[in-house]
Amino acid sequence: MVDAPAPLQPLDEDWQRALCIVAHPDDMEFGAAAAVARWTGQGKTVVYCMVTSGEAGIDGMHPDECRAVREAEEVRSAQVVGVDVVEFLGLPDGILEYGVPLRRELAAVVRKHRPDVVITGNFRDTWGGRSLNQADHIAVGRGVVDAVRDAGNRWVFPEQLTDGVEPWGGVREVWAFGSPEATHAVDTTDTFDAGVASLEEHSAYIEGLGWENWDPREFLEGFARPTGSRLGTTFAAAFEVFPMGWGD
């Protein structure tokens, strides 16, 4: 007999500012846009940061053209869930590398926006089965966790501390959506439709993938419904939680 999945714990929603850092336009929409709609609906501030512009994501479109298309799709999809600020760091799509240069870029973003919570995507090796995660996701997620700690240390990347920029050690937790090691979740029942609409804004990207008869609502429901059953709701989004405090 296969054991039932463990129940998920509700996320702590006692915060005001979140910064979402992911590798590509569409990453948020494939995993967490409905959760973001919930939080902006509560009056929280959520900012998006795309490390790349996803310019290598459409085989039949040259990266120079693809960059503009995908940035525009991401801005529209963010607006659907109440996010007005979307930043693009412009690092090269498909060949991101974990290391000090990436940490430096991400620490600067954390210091700029001074969030309470930072959200990124799954950076485990797989999605919980045999399907390997993509290299950019792994590099960015690992970089985010380290950059959050870097941002609070004035002796790490001190060249950033000019023109009023100060260290920021106020990030309580990093949340990774889509992780197979998720232990927490948030109810997205009331905002599920907004999450679907947000993903639908990526029409050029979805068309470029060539997935015949692929339906965004069906896809998202395939994750949200079983996650919801583990939380005791109809739909939910799951997150792995990394506390940033000492001894947590």
Side-chain angles (χ1 to χ4, degrees):
M1 178 179 295
V2 179
D3 293 335
L8 295 167
Q9 300 299 312
L11 282 173
D12 179 6
E13 295 183 287
D14 183 19
W15 52 271
Q16 188 56 39
R17 300 185 309 279
L19 171 63
C20 303
I21 305 176
V22 292
H24 314 109
D26 80 77
D27 285 353
M28 290 299 300
E29 290 69 49
F30 272 98
V36 170
R38 171 188 172 95
W39 295 324
T40 58
Q42 294 171 344
K44 303 182 192 301
T45 298
V46 181
V47 171
Y48 281 6
C49 175
M50 307 289 120
V51 178
T52 80
S53 295
E55 68 275 8
I58 301 178
D59 182 70
M61 186 179 294
H62 190 278
D64 291 344
E65 178 185 1
C66 187
R67 179 181 293 107
V69 169
R70 299 205 65 198
E71 286 186 0
E73 288 188 338
E74 182 57 37
V75 169
R76 292 195 301 270
S77 69
Q79 290 172 343
V80 169
V81 294
V83 175
D84 298 323
V85 177
V86 183
E87 297 185 355
F88 299 90
L89 298 185
L91 275 64
D93 183 20
I95 54 172
L96 295 177
E97 292 183 296
Y98 170 79
V100 171
L102 179 60
R103 285 167 51 191
R104 180 181 290 110
E105 292 267 6
L106 302 184
V109 176
V110 174
R111 286 169 168 171
K112 174 182 178 181
H113 292 288
R114 305 173 75 80
D116 305 311
V117 173
V118 174
I119 297 163
T120 191
N122 172 37
F123 55 96
R124 300 293 185 177
D125 288 341
T126 74
W127 298 98
R130 298 173 62 185
S131 295
L132 293 173
N133 199 353
Q134 201 263 356
D136 283 356
H137 300 156
I138 297 171
V140 169
R142 289 184 60 199
V144 164
V145 171
D146 287 341
V148 163
R149 289 176 293 194
D150 295 336
N153 187 334
R154 71 173 56 254
W155 307 120
V156 177
F157 312 132
E159 72 280 0
Q160 296 176 352
L161 304 180
T162 61
D163 299 324
V165 176
E166 292 289 339
W168 178 247
V171 177
R172 304 174 196 170
E173 296 176 332
V174 173
W175 298 346
F177 62 83
S179 170
E181 304 295 327
T183 56
H184 291 68
V186 62
D187 182 3
T188 57
T189 305
D190 292 340
T191 54
F192 179 76
D193 287 348
V196 173
S198 186
L199 179 54
E200 288 174 340
E201 290 294 337
H202 293 275
S203 57
Y205 176 63
I206 292 170
E207 181 179 353
L209 292 173
W211 293 344
E212 187 175 356
N213 299 320
W214 187 80
D215 181 78
R217 178 176 296 275
E218 182 180 12
F219 176 86
L220 292 175
E221 186 171 334
F223 292 98
R225 190 174 292 280
T227 303
S229 69
R230 296 173 64 190
L231 186 66
T233 63
T234 302
F235 296 133
F239 296 82
E240 184 173 4
V241 173
F242 298 90
M244 290 293 110
W246 288 101
D248 290 337

